[in-house]
Amino acid sequence: MQKIIIIGRPNVGKSSLFNRLARQRIAITSDISGTTRDTNKTQIEIYDKNCILVDSGGLDDTSELFRNVQKKSLDEAKSADVIIFMVDGKMMPDEIDRKIAYSLLSLKKPLCLAINKIDSQKDEMRSLEFKEFGIKNMISISVSHNTGINDLKDFIYPHLKSEILPDSGEYFEDFLENFDENSNIINEIDETNFQKKNINVGIIGRVNVGKSSLLNALVKDNRSVVSSVAGTTIDPVNESFFYEGRVFEFVDTAGIRKRSKIEGIEKFALNRTQKVLENSDIALLVLDANEGFNELDERIAGLASKFELGVIIVLNKWENRAEKDFDEICKDLRDRFKFLSYAPIISISALQGKRVNKIYPLILEIYQNFTQKLKTSHLNEVIKQATINHPIPSQKGKVVKIYYAAQFGFAPPKIALIMNRPKALHFSYKRYLINSIRKEFNLTGVPVMLIARKRGENEEEK
């Protein structure tokens, strides 16, 4: 199985990224430099391909112990198939980072420079200084906010081997002419089961934003204990509700607070919240409309993105707010939560029950979008028109072609682009294609996974 290694100096966030990609807390993280002294390894899945992820010890030669750690990390890099070189975006590049970059470039392996802790426009401008390393693939990320992680997956994915969708031997136009709408493009998915199962909805947010009040309003019962004491809810609280012939399974999770303020059994509650989201289809992200949004709100929002859920952003405590404030607050939200640009925003008062009833049809709509099959001929027409409007940039003078697109999964929708040079599809062009798809299909509230694939493993690029 192919191996991806995360390498870099101490305290740049390697172990946090390792845990993020592994979707579980494996590596110990702390603010103490040199916490990781050995390599952690685990099998992970990047979209539909399996690989081994390696968290290496920090590169530091200040003592004999750390010199041994550095040697082991560099040896692991030599045997890896893909290297992620991680740096601290809050710092300017220095000579040590430069030397590491040059040594990794000399290995002639797929290499990505992941610039972590990019949380503002100022950080983004500073990150441009790392271009001097000469690493072609640079991605700005924030592990704590879960931004840029999908771009990182998009870089890794083409370098991993897997079974390829059956090669039709057709080009784009031939495929559209001969496509049979009754054929089953989505592999082994029981659509009937998705249309009958309970819709699992996780309610997430900071402490004391009104999650328990919202659950009570949604199920029309005092199911969850409500108090002004932050952190009242510890265990997840489940309650079923019937609407339009469907069962909504609501789960009120424990409120999340800053790590430094988590006390006693609340540590277990945080783990249970993540377990709830693993089994959810849709997240209701509850925010306090009367307070400014902060870094913790962004991190909690990142959980919904991390688990690839449908999302509704709920502005609670709207009792005394004027409707004219709504547009201004939405603008602030869109600026902060760019990674949830697809999520609808609704203002409510859970305490007074105002507009709570608007959440039910929105859940149904988003779940329908979450599990829908996109009409393949229409999907390919959208891709074709998008490439006509803005042609795909060539790769060193070589033409880059999309032969056709095929949906291979849903919950959320997963689309494969069958191409001659999948590695040449830039992240920004992929975002352009996703936006083009969103304009034609109702995908409100759900993420779209777009993956570039080659028509055949052994087919030569022409």
Side-chain angles (χ1 to χ4, degrees), residues 417-435:
L417 295 177
I418 310 305
M419 305 181 62
N420 64 336
R421 293 183 174 86
K423 294 180 184 179
L425 192 67
H426 196 269
F427 310 131
S428 59
Y429 196 85
K430 184 178 289 188
R431 280 195 291 269
Y432 160 68
L433 291 178
I434 290 174
N435 289 335

Side-chain angles (χ1 to χ4, degrees), residues 266-301:
E266 283 189 72
K267 294 179 181 179
F268 297 100
L270 181 58
N271 291 333
R272 290 175 186 175
T273 296
Q274 296 200 55
K275 288 291 183 185
V276 166
L277 292 178
E278 284 179 9
N279 297 311
S280 294
D281 303 302
I282 295 171
L284 299 183
L285 173 62
V286 185
L287 303 171
D288 189 330
N290 295 313
E291 296 182 7
F293 311 123
N294 58 30
E295 180 185 347
L296 185 57
D297 289 316
E298 293 178 42
R299 291 176 65 183
I300 296 168

Side-chain angles (χ1 to χ4, degrees), residues 215-249:
L215 175 65
N216 291 341
L218 285 167
V219 301
K220 306 182 188 304
D221 187 17
N222 291 326
R223 175 64 178 85
S224 199
V225 177
V226 177
S227 92
S228 59
V229 179
T232 301
T233 302
I234 295 296
D235 288 310
V237 179
N238 294 61
E239 185 67 19
S240 298
F241 186 80
F242 290 88
Y243 179 80
E244 298 288 330
R246 298 301 300 267
V247 179
F248 295 167
E249 190 71 34

Side-chain angles (χ1 to χ4, degrees), residues 35-91:
T35 298
T36 303
R37 297 181 180 179
D38 208 332
T39 54
N40 282 312
K41 299 181 182 180
T42 189
Q43 181 176 325
I44 66 167
E45 190 176 85
I46 301 293
Y47 301 128
D48 60 342
K49 295 182 181 180
N50 293 317
C51 59
I52 299 296
L53 182 65
V54 180
D55 174 27
S56 64
L59 302 182
D60 187 343
D61 60 1
T62 55
S63 69
E64 183 179 356
L65 170 62
F66 288 125
R67 280 194 290 272
N68 291 335
V69 171
Q70 176 169 300
K71 182 179 183 304
K72 185 167 186 179
S73 296
L74 290 172
D75 286 343
E76 286 279 357
K78 290 176 184 176
S79 64
D81 297 285
V82 179
I83 301 171
I84 300 171
F85 175 32
M86 199 168 183
V87 295
D88 187 339
K90 299 292 186 187
M91 311 291 290

Side-chain angles (χ1 to χ4, degrees), residues 4 95 123 180 185 194 234 303 316 323-324 327 358 361 371 375 396:
I4 295 105
E95 190 59 31
D123 293 337
D180 177 7
I185 293 295
F194 270 92
I234 295 296
L303 287 174
N316 191 26
E323 286 305 312
K324 65 181 181 180
D327 290 341
K358 293 184 180 295
T371 59
K375 189 175 181 181
K396 296 180 180 178

Side-chain angles (χ1 to χ4, degrees), residues 50-243:
N50 293 317
C51 59
I52 299 296
L53 182 65
V54 180
D55 174 27
S56 64
L59 302 182
D60 187 343
D61 60 1
T62 55
S63 69
E64 183 179 356
L65 170 62
F66 288 125
R67 280 194 290 272
N68 291 335
V69 171
Q70 176 169 300
K71 182 179 183 304
K72 185 167 186 179
S73 296
L74 290 172
D75 286 343
E76 286 279 357
K78 290 176 184 176
S79 64
D81 297 285
V82 179
I83 301 171
I84 300 171
F85 175 32
M86 199 168 183
V87 295
D88 187 339
K90 299 292 186 187
M91 311 291 290
M92 294 294 288
D94 61 18
E95 190 59 31
I96 298 175
D97 282 328
R98 197 173 290 108
K99 286 181 179 179
I100 295 170
Y102 294 157
S103 65
L104 295 176
L105 281 166
S106 69
L107 297 177
K108 306 293 184 184
K109 293 176 178 287
L111 173 64
C112 172
L113 178 63
I115 308 170
N116 191 27
K117 306 179 186 179
I118 303 300
D119 306 318
S120 67
Q121 190 172 5
K122 183 178 178 181
D123 293 337
E124 194 71 55
M125 293 299 295
R126 189 190 306 112
S127 71
L128 298 177
E129 298 291 334
F130 288 92
K131 282 188 174 182
E132 67 180 75
F133 291 176
I135 298 176
K136 179 182 176 183
N137 297 294
M138 287 176 44
I139 303 175
S140 297
I141 68 172
S142 172
V143 178
S144 63
H145 294 168
N146 196 30
T147 57
I149 304 302
N150 282 337
D151 287 342
L152 198 56
K153 290 180 181 179
D154 290 343
F155 165 77
I156 296 169
Y157 186 86
H159 301 292
L160 302 179
K161 295 176 182 178
S162 75
E163 292 183 7
I164 301 300
L165 286 174
D167 180 14
S168 68
E170 298 170 318
Y171 277 74
F172 192 88
E173 293 79 4
D174 296 331
F175 176 80
L176 289 181
E177 279 184 25
N178 301 321
F179 176 72
D180 177 7
E181 279 295 337
N182 296 317
S183 65
N184 183 23
I185 293 295
I186 302 178
N187 297 327
E188 299 178 2
I189 293 180
D190 186 352
E191 186 181 15
T192 304
N193 182 52
F194 270 92
Q195 297 310 318
K196 290 183 178 179
K197 71 180 282 292
N198 293 356
I199 302 175
N200 297 316
V201 183
I203 305 174
I204 60 173
R206 281 192 280 134
V207 294
N208 227 24
V209 294
K211 297 184 304 300
S212 297
S213 297
L214 176 57
L215 175 65
N216 291 341
L218 285 167
V219 301
K220 306 182 188 304
D221 187 17
N222 291 326
R223 175 64 178 85
S224 199
V225 177
V226 177
S227 92
S228 59
V229 179
T232 301
T233 302
I234 295 296
D235 288 310
V237 179
N238 294 61
E239 185 67 19
S240 298
F241 186 80
F242 290 88
Y243 179 80

